[in-house]
Structures are given as structure tokens and as C-alpha cells.
Amino acid sequence: MSLSATKFVHPITTPPSTRSSDKPLFSTFFGSNHTKLRFNKPIVAAQRRSSSAASTSSPVVAVSDVVKEKKLKSASNLLITKEEGLVLYEDMILGRFFEDMCAQMYYRGKMFGFVHLYNGQEAVSTGFIKFLKKEDYVVSTYRDHVHALSKGVPAREVMSELFGKATGCCRGQGGSMHMFSKQFNLLGGFAFIGEGIPVATGAAFSSKYRREVLKEPGADEVTLAFFGDGTCNNGQFYECLNMAALWKLPIVFVVENNLWAIGMSHLRATSDPQIWKKGPAFGMPGIHVDGMDVLKVREVAKEAIERARRGEGPTLVECETYRFRGHSLADPDELRDPAEKAHYAGRDPITALKKYLFDNKLASEQELKAIDKKIEELLDDAVEFADESPLPPRSQLLENVFADPKGFGIGPDGKYRCEDPKFTQGTAHV
Amino acid sequence: MATLFQGLPSSTAFSSSNKFNHAPAPTSFSERKSSIVTVRSDARWSPVLNSATHKPQRLITNAVATKADSSLASTSSKPGHELLLFEALREGLEEEMERDPCVCVMGEDVGHYGGSYKVTKGLATKFGDLRVLDTPIAENSFTGMGIGAAMTGLRPIIEGMNMGFLLLAFNQISNNCGMLHYTSGGQFKIPVVIRGPGGVGRQLGAEHSQRLESYFQSIPGIQMVACSTPYNAKGLMKAAIRSENPVILFEHVLLYNLKDRIPDEEYVLSLEEAEMVRPGEHVTILTYSRMRYHVMQAAKTLVNKGYDPEVIDIRSLKPFDLHTIGKSVKKTHRVLIVEECMRTGGIGASLTAAITENFNDDLDAPIVCLSSQDVPTPYAGTLEEWTVVQPAQIVTAVEQLCQ
């Protein structure tokens, strides 16, 4: 597959001379030499994909067909219906407004620690998660608020969790980086990068096990693993790509390539920055999509998720996206080129979707404004709820250390520690 | 170099090598009951006293389950069946897999190869390749995979081919296995069993001779148990699989070929309880895993010298069974801890602290803790012998303690 793809890809992978590490970072280095890639018109991308597909015979061919359909100018062939459009819009607005509210609350001292905001990347979360069933699994990273919201976790619960209240989705014990929801099958929320990918692989394995060993008829849950560009240099990523492809697990690996770890540019950290290429190395399709366009992401997501559901195995999807804020609220974000930031601000996924909805007469200004207002009220309610919620009591301290509290052992008096009344008060000495 | 293992009244210890496929075994039961068998490191064995067999020495090169033998020896009055420790583990595992279809095994070479210590032999044929999963060599990831599977309803048993390899999985064991139940506010449980052989073997070199119990003991949210006899191996395996908590089951490379008789009926042991090996009056000796056998050997010598040691196999390394330990301390007022773990920060160190905190008033003398030296286990046999606690040291320590 490499030959034709390399020929096409060549102009992009050749680093401009400013990329060498001994040159100052801010001179002419635009922050990403992927800008050219991002301006590619769909037909060019399709060309590349079909040429690569010809030599690998992987189902990438199907994706290139889908990509060809993405000619947005064709009026008779809209990508979404009105209802779908409004759902997408509302989800992205919820994500955006929620994160803005988080920033406000953080600076008002309502939440502490490391808070990583998702502004600018909403298209990836909405594009993928809105295709899932409730039983499908999502595994995220520390930048997980919006994944939680898209999956269905109520904004109230997420906000309370951020405030550290007992009504949070994890009873205040997880925090910003550890959002979990059994009800909505959100398997976390992980602080170390790459840590969630094996967990996601395990959930996919579970799904396959239920189908093939336990012979449950409807067991076709798909797992989505979200992670960033920095993670793609981590061993766990590669180990899981191998296992998922080996056993054809129903999982989609979604790379949210926003070009920056904290202050480390993806291009400075990666020998071959084209992450999608790493999929075919393991025998799975590697797709590259514009992550600032929710409709494009959606099309790719549909294909990848349905592929997994049919039992054909994993897919690696690289979404090129960008975060408008710093890595976390503690990051002064001084390293990134303002011109780069301005460039992506101009490609805001929400603005793009709005334009699409207006241009194709799918929604009116008033309808969208109504949605904006609804979300604002929802968030005000969420903040109020979180404010008024109680803090976790002392008795909660030891409650969830073990699923079976006999694990605290037998005390000197012969009784299990968990039977000690002081234990529930959280004052027992373990 | 010969390391002596002493036959216990109820089980025979022998294993001159950690290779999985052969072990010298005594051939009759009456011998087992009353004799001491010395096993030399070069795999010869010789019955020492009062052995019923004067057969020429022969090595049984393929010690398979000895159910056939039990009919031979016709100890029909004694219930149960005889088997080796790794077979006991396998029996426990197989019973649990039959009982609950969600129980599955994953690890390197557990499937077609049958496990590098034969604990999973035959299970892949019986249960299929998905239930006994041969993984690629990626400890961190397949441990994490096991955790993800546990969160979504399965009950995996993750095997580390050697416990030391699980150092690569420390990220997943500490962050996810131990903590995830808590950080999710109790929403997800992780009923995994992480097991594998560890401990100092026979000249395996430093990296294959590690004792990971000291590294894992601080992780909140996990339980650790160490098995030492076929009886408790099967019982703890079953208990660990049935437990809703993540459990790390420490086996020992040199104990896999221990033979003993275990009940035919199903039994499950408690993960949190310690085992009274030998009641006594003068001194409490706390130990676990392979050191139990060094202690029992030393106990024989001590009894001949007129001491009466109480030997407790603590079994549960985290949490400690303070009830059994406390009762014993209150009786004898002297404590000796014998372990194979490192001196610094090992299980013995924690146990010393726990006993001092809880039972200081009951102690007549400071707690003595005999642990391995803080040395990477050398390859050379003599050096290796000196890093690990030997029975002679135990005898000396008890004598000093009881002055």
C-alpha cells in the first residue's frame, strides 16, 4: 500500500526546513505542517484512499466511497435530516457551553485540580458518540467531560462531580479526570494517557466473549476508545492495536489529534506523524478525517462502528482537530502560535454545522437560538444543583475501596473490620 | 548445593527444579506419613528414615495427577485424593470455570501450551480458545484488558508467567485494578484474579526471583494471598475467583510439585484468614509461602531441643488476619517473622508494624523479622542460598528470642 500512498503523502511528510529542532519554534513554523492536509478537498482524499485500498484490499474502499458522497454541494443528497442536525447541534452546544461554564467555575474556586477542557473538539465526540447505542461502551481520557455528556450522563451529575459533591456521577471520588457511568456505559476517565485503551480492549473482548462463548444473541456492543496524539507514541496503544486486530475485537480506536500534548508538538514527538498509517501496519483500516467537521466525522464513524458491530474487527480513525484552550486550565498556553489558533478558531465545528444547517434550510436562526437558550438554562440548573448538593460525609471515605468490604480483613477482635461501627463513620483505622 | 526440604507429616515437599515437567515423587503413601525425604538440588532423592520403600531410587519424570495411585495404596479409610499443588490449582480453576461461564483465563501460553507450570493444562481443549486465551507478550495491555473485561461482566484470571513480569503491568494493577472501584464511586467492580509464580527458585537469576508482594502491598483496593500447600492452593484459588474484589494470588516456583491429599468435596477457604500450622506455647512464628517449609524444618530441630513453637501461615498478605495473629501473640508473647520477601518494605516490615501497633502490650521481647537480604538474587547457588532465610537461622533466632 505504501507506494502510491507515499507518493501522495510525500509533500506533507517532508518537514519544512523550519521544523528542525535547532530552529526557534516561533519563526516561520506554523505549528503544523498538516495545514495543507486539512485543506484537502474530499476528492483528493478519496483518491489517496482508493489508491491505498487497491493495494491493501482492506475495507478502506468502502470509506472512500463514503468520502466521495461527501460532496456537500449536492442538494439532493443531504448528509443529515433536520432532526439529526438539531441533535448534533444541541450536543455540540452542550459540550461547548459546559466547558465554558467549567472554566468560569474553576476561576471562581468551585473546582480544583487538573481540569482539561474540550473546546474545539466537539465534532469528534458528537460525531462518534451520537451513533452509539446506550449499551455500547466509551472509554476516554482526562479530557472526558464532553464524552460523558455526549454519552448521556446528565450535566447535573458531571457538574457535581467536578464540584466534588456527593451527588456527582462518581460520588465526588473521581473528579474531572475520572468520569464513570455504569448506567450509560462510560468506562472512564483515566488520568494516565494510554491507560484506558487496554480497558477499552477488554470491554470489546467482553462483547465478543458474550457473543461467542455465552452465545447471547444480541451481544454486539461496540467500544470506542478516545485518546490523543501523544498517546500514539505509547506502548499500550500499539499493544492494543495488535490484540484488537488479532482477535477482531469490536472496537474503534479514535485518535483526537489536536497536534499538541501539553507543550510538545506532535511533530516534535513522532517520527511518522501520520497516525492513520499505523492501523494498516496491524491489519486494520486506518482512516484519516477532518475532525473539525462533524458531518465528515459522522460518516467515518458510521462506517467504523457498523464494521465493528458486524464482527469485522477494529478500525483506527485519526481525527485532526484542535483544542481552543490550553491543555488544562493551569496551562498558560503560550507556546502555540497565535496564527495557528486563529486559523482553527475560524474552523469552529459549531459554526460550520450552523452554516450547513442554514445553507441547506434544515434549521432557522430562531430554532438554534432556542436550543442555545435551553442549554444555558440546563447548565444554570446544573450549577445550582451542584452548588446546593452536599459534600461527601466522612462515612463515605472507606465505602468504595472494596466491592466486598471483607477485603479490609479481620480485626484483632475476630470480627471483620467492616462490621466495626466506627468503620461506617470513616474513623476506623485501617 | 543441596537445599533440604523436610517432609511434613501431612505433605511431602520436594521439588528440586522449577521445570514443569518432572518432579521426583515418593511412590508410596505410608512413607509419606512418617518419613523425612531429603531432596537434593540435583534431583536425586533419598528417603532418610524409616521408609517403607527400599526400592531403588527412581525419578518420576511426568508427575500427573495421582488419583491412580490412591487406589493402589488403598488408604480407603482416608478420604480425598492426592495431587500436586499445580494440579490442585488447576482443579480449583476448572471447577470454577465449570460453575460460572463468565470465568476465563488470559495470559501467555495458558492455552495451547497448558501454562508454563501446567496450571492450565487441558483447559483450552475443554473450554475453548476464547475462555483460555493465549495472549501476545504484552503484560500491561492484557492485564488492562482483563480489567476492562471484569468491568463489563466477565471474571478473568490473569496469569503472569512469572510474577516478576507483572512489574510491566504495574500501571494497570495499581491504577485500574486497585483504584477503579473507588474512583468510579463504586459503580464498577473488578473481580479479577492475578496469579503467577514468584519467589526465589533454583538459580533462576535476579529477575526471575522477585517477590512482588512488597511492591503491591501498598496498592489500596486489592487483596493479596499466598498459597503454600495443595489444600490451601485450591481453596484460595476458588475463593479468589469468587471474590468480588481484585485478588493477587502469589504462588511459588518451588512449591508446584508438592504432593498432598485434599478432600473430594468442594471447599472454599477464606481469603482473609491465616492458617494455624502447628500450635505451640513458646514463640509465634509467622510465615507464608515457601518459608513455611523452612520453618517447619527448623521446628523439628527446635522441638528436639525442647522448644514449642507455634507456627502460623499468614496466607493473607493483605489484609493481615490480626485475630489469629493476635490470639497467638497473647499466648506466647514472642514473635518471629520468617519471610522470603526483602528486608526493606516487605511484608515482614508491615507485619512488624501492625503487631507493634496492636499488640505491643502483649510482647515480652521485640519482634524479630527474618527476611531475605536486600540483594538482587544472585545466580550462584551458594550466594543464592545466603540471600534467603535458612532453617539454621530460624533455629538460632528462636533460641535467642526465648532467652
Side-chain angles (χ1 to χ4, degrees):
Chain A
M1 89 152 214
S2 27
L3 229 45
S4 36
T6 322
K7 251 199 298 202
F8 173 84
V9 152
H10 204 65
I12 291 110
T13 47
T14 312
S17 55
T18 52
R19 218 186 78 156
S20 60
S21 50
D22 51 351
K23 290 279 173 74
L25 199 57
F26 304 122
S27 53
T28 50
F29 182 48
F30 207 51
S32 158
N33 63 359
H34 279 254
T35 42
K36 286 200 183 99
L37 193 61
R38 292 177 175 218
F39 283 124
N40 279 336
K41 302 193 199 73
I43 184 144
V44 176
Q47 226 174 45
R48 179 183 75 196
R49 280 200 198 89
S50 52
S51 60
S52 60
S55 33
T56 49
S57 73
S58 76
V60 176
V61 173
V63 177
S64 69
D65 289 335
V66 168
V67 165
K68 278 190 199 126
E69 283 169 26
K70 280 177 347 192
K71 298 285 195 69
L72 300 179
K73 295 306 169 197
S74 152
S76 59
N77 190 16
L78 288 179
L79 288 167
I80 47 172
T81 64
K82 179 186 174 120
E83 290 75 33
E84 287 170 348
L86 293 179
V87 163
L88 296 179
Y89 180 77
E90 185 170 330
D91 195 52
M92 292 210 286
I93 285 288
L94 174 61
R96 176 68 60 89
F97 285 10
F98 187 94
E99 299 292 68
D100 286 338
M101 185 64 85
C102 275
Q104 256 193 64
M105 293 297 123
Y106 189 85
Y107 294 125
R108 279 196 214 166
K110 300 282 186 73
M111 59 176 90
F112 300 94
F114 292 127
V115 179
H116 307 82
L117 298 181
Y118 201 72
N119 297 53
Q121 298 181 198
E122 294 86 1
V124 180
S125 176
T126 303
F128 267 95
I129 299 182
K130 283 304 163 196
F131 255 122
L132 295 179
K133 301 188 294 193
K134 190 165 173 216
E135 297 78 30
D136 291 325
Y137 302 107
V138 167
V139 173
S140 179
T141 60
Y142 44 73
R143 206 179 295 282
D144 56 352
H145 307 168
V146 179
H147 294 134
L149 295 169
S150 290
K151 195 65 177 50
V153 183
R156 276 184 162 196
E157 287 181 26
V158 183
M159 193 59 86
S160 300
E161 182 63 31
L162 292 168
F163 282 28
K165 300 294 178 86
T167 48
C169 56
C170 301
R171 305 179 85 197
Q173 290 166 193
S176 165
M177 298 186 280
H178 302 283
M179 294 286 170
F180 288 84
S181 168
K182 190 159 176 85
Q183 185 185 2
F184 296 99
N185 291 306
L186 173 67
L187 303 179
F190 293 94
F192 288 17
I193 61 157
E195 204 174 44
I197 307 177
V199 173
T201 312
F205 176 80
S206 222
S207 175
K208 184 180 166 87
Y209 188 97
R210 274 197 290 278
R211 190 175 2 192
E212 293 181 17
V213 176
L214 301 179
K215 307 267 196 277
E216 283 175 24
D220 60 355
E221 297 88 11
V222 172
T223 308
L224 297 186
F226 290 93
F227 48 92
D229 45 284
T231 311
C232 296
N233 293 324
N234 190 282
Q236 286 171 102
F237 169 61
Y238 296 105
E239 290 174 3
C240 292
L241 283 184
N242 179 42
M243 292 198 290
L246 184 64
W247 297 317
K248 287 195 156 30
L249 300 181
I251 183 172
V252 182
F253 297 99
V254 184
V255 183
E256 295 167 324
N257 182 353
N258 57 21
L259 297 180
W260 292 86
I262 300 181
M264 187 64 158
S265 142
H266 176 57
L267 300 166
R268 287 183 68 218
T270 317
S271 55
D272 184 348
Q274 310 236 341
I275 300 169
W276 63 271
K277 274 160 76 176
K278 306 187 185 191
F282 288 91
M284 72 177 82
I287 317 291
H288 169 266
V289 69
D290 175 5
M292 302 306 269
D293 183 333
V294 66
L295 300 174
K296 289 185 189 157
V297 172
R298 220 174 118 80
E299 291 304 309
V300 170
K302 182 174 189 320
E303 182 65 30
I305 292 171
E306 284 177 2
R307 198 182 114 81
R309 222 184 276 292
R310 285 194 299 268
E312 290 171 21
T315 314
L316 176 66
V317 182
E318 179 187 353
C319 304
E320 297 222 16
T321 179
Y322 201 78
R323 51 170 167 82
F324 294 158
R325 289 179 181 268
H327 166 73
S328 71
L329 288 173
D331 174 17
D333 195 17
E334 290 160 349
L335 205 54
R336 299 190 298 174
D337 192 339
E340 180 188 78
K341 292 192 232 183
H343 167 70
Y344 286 104
R347 298 190 58 217
D348 188 331
I350 295 178
T351 320
L353 180 66
K354 252 190 181 163
K355 185 169 186 308
Y356 183 86
L357 293 173
F358 290 157
D359 285 353
N360 293 286
K361 314 245 186 317
L362 288 172
S364 67
E365 184 90 31
Q366 295 94 305
E367 280 170 326
L368 297 189
K369 280 217 165 21
I371 292 178
D372 288 359
K373 189 162 185 312
K374 174 176 151 196
I375 296 296
E376 275 165 12
E377 284 168 9
L378 181 84
L379 289 177
D380 285 337
D381 166 77
V383 172
E384 205 183 304
F385 174 79
D387 261 335
E388 288 166 8
S389 291
L391 288 163
R394 178 117 195 210
S395 56
Q396 198 182 303
L397 183 65
L398 301 172
E399 267 172 30
N400 298 126
V401 179
F402 289 105
D404 177 2
K406 295 217 295 280
F408 281 110
I410 303 175
D413 56 3
K415 289 201 295 217
Y416 276 99
R417 278 253 168 64
C418 52
E419 292 162 8
D420 177 355
K422 284 211 220 101
F423 183 85
T424 48
Q425 292 168 28
T427 53
H429 181 59
V430 281
Chain B
M1 174 210 47
T3 301
L4 301 183
F5 285 89
Q6 176 152 325
L8 298 181
S10 60
S11 88
T12 321
F14 47 86
S15 150
S16 59
S17 112
N18 66 323
K19 291 213 189 87
F20 40 86
N21 226 354
H22 70 271
T27 48
S28 84
F29 300 116
S30 46
E31 169 194 300
R32 230 190 60 247
K33 277 198 226 135
S34 59
S35 71
I36 300 170
V37 176
T38 30
V39 180
R40 295 186 180 282
S41 57
D42 54 2
R44 287 180 294 121
W45 60 273
S46 49
V48 171
L49 54 79
N50 203 16
S51 158
T53 76
H54 293 285
K55 291 183 200 149
Q57 297 167 9
R58 64 178 164 94
L59 282 176
I60 296 179
T61 52
N62 196 357
V64 188
T66 51
K67 284 198 175 130
D69 278 2
S70 65
S71 54
L72 267 176
S74 78
T75 47
S76 49
S77 55
K78 201 152 195 292
H81 55 282
E82 260 209 342
L83 38 54
L84 305 177
L85 193 144
F86 76 87
E87 290 163 350
L89 288 167
R90 184 181 355 146
E91 217 175 74
L93 187 46
E94 201 172 337
E95 284 174 18
E96 289 304 300
M97 286 179 82
E98 280 166 2
R99 180 177 172 266
D100 182 356
C102 288
V103 177
C104 56
V105 183
M106 44 183 86
E108 294 158 10
D109 278 334
V110 295
H112 294 189
Y113 197 69
S116 52
Y117 294 93
K118 293 300 173 226
V119 175
T120 49
K121 187 172 177 189
L123 296 183
T125 326
K126 183 169 175 185
F127 295 109
D129 277 349
L130 212 53
R131 275 191 88 180
V132 187
L133 185 73
D134 278 323
T135 61
I137 307 176
E139 276 81 8
N140 198 19
S141 295
F142 71 69
T143 305
M145 194 173 96
I147 292 166
M151 285 167 76
T152 46
L154 298 186
R155 303 187 77 97
I157 294 138
I158 301 164
E159 172 172 314
M161 192 185 271
N162 184 287
M163 267 298 185
F165 302 168
L166 293 181
L167 285 174
L168 289 149
F170 210 112
N171 179 9
Q172 293 291 337
I173 295 175
S174 170
N175 284 342
N176 290 345
C177 191
M179 300 195 198
L180 209 142
H181 183 73
Y182 194 81
T183 53
S184 68
Q187 291 181 82
F188 292 100
K189 59 181 175 113
I190 326 272
V192 294
V193 178
I194 299 174
R195 50 159 291 269
V200 177
R202 184 85 55 211
Q203 298 190 243
L204 300 178
E207 291 180 15
H208 281 83
S209 311
Q210 299 192 68
R211 286 125 285 165
L212 256 49
E213 49 267 24
S214 59
Y215 305 157
F216 288 144
Q217 66 175 324
S218 302
I219 301 174
I222 55 154
Q223 283 186 251
M224 306 200 305
V225 286
C227 63
S228 50
T229 65
Y231 178 76
N232 65 34
K234 180 176 173 184
L236 290 175
M237 171 71 99
K238 288 171 75 91
I241 296 173
R242 292 189 193 190
S243 171
E244 302 296 321
N245 298 331
V247 179
I248 306 185
L249 171 57
F250 289 92
E251 302 152 13
H252 197 287
V253 276
L254 293 181
L255 297 183
Y256 276 127
N257 289 320
L258 272 179
K259 186 190 275 194
D260 197 0
R261 182 172 282 277
I262 64 169
D264 287 327
E265 315 80 52
E266 199 186 24
Y267 66 94
V268 180
L269 294 176
S270 165
L271 288 173
E272 296 87 23
E273 284 176 17
E275 186 179 315
M276 177 68 70
V277 182
R278 182 191 187 282
E281 294 290 327
H282 289 161
V283 61
T284 300
I285 306 184
L286 301 172
T287 181
Y288 65 92
S289 193
R290 179 193 164 205
M291 286 297 118
R292 169 182 171 144
Y293 297 96
H294 280 201
V295 167
M296 290 313 290
Q297 205 177 331
K300 207 76 181 174
T301 315
L302 287 169
V303 163
N304 288 340
K305 292 190 176 191
Y307 295 96
D308 186 20
E310 176 154 293
V311 180
I312 295 177
D313 181 340
I314 60 173
R315 250 171 33 189
S316 173
L317 305 180
K318 178 180 181 354
F320 296 129
D321 178 3
L322 289 179
H323 178 60
T324 311
I325 294 171
K327 256 187 3 194
S328 178
V329 174
K330 290 181 173 131
K331 185 164 60 155
T332 67
H333 309 294
R334 288 180 169 77
V335 177
L336 171 67
I337 301 171
V338 180
E339 55 160 4
E340 203 179 43
C341 209
M342 317 294 256
R343 169 136 227 99
T344 306
I347 297 291
S350 295
L351 194 49
T352 307
I355 297 174
T356 314
E357 267 172 13
N358 285 291
F359 309 117
N360 197 31
D361 290 337
D362 298 301
L363 291 169
D364 283 348
I367 302 173
V368 177
C369 179
L370 297 178
S371 352
S372 298
Q373 306 276 347
D374 279 342
V375 162
T377 312
Y379 167 74
T382 43
L383 292 177
E384 187 186 63
E385 198 184 328
W386 291 325
T387 60
V388 174
V389 178
Q390 299 297 336
Q393 291 166 270
I394 303 174
V395 171
T396 318
V398 169
E399 287 174 338
Q400 278 178 346
L401 198 49
C402 287
Q403 269 162 8

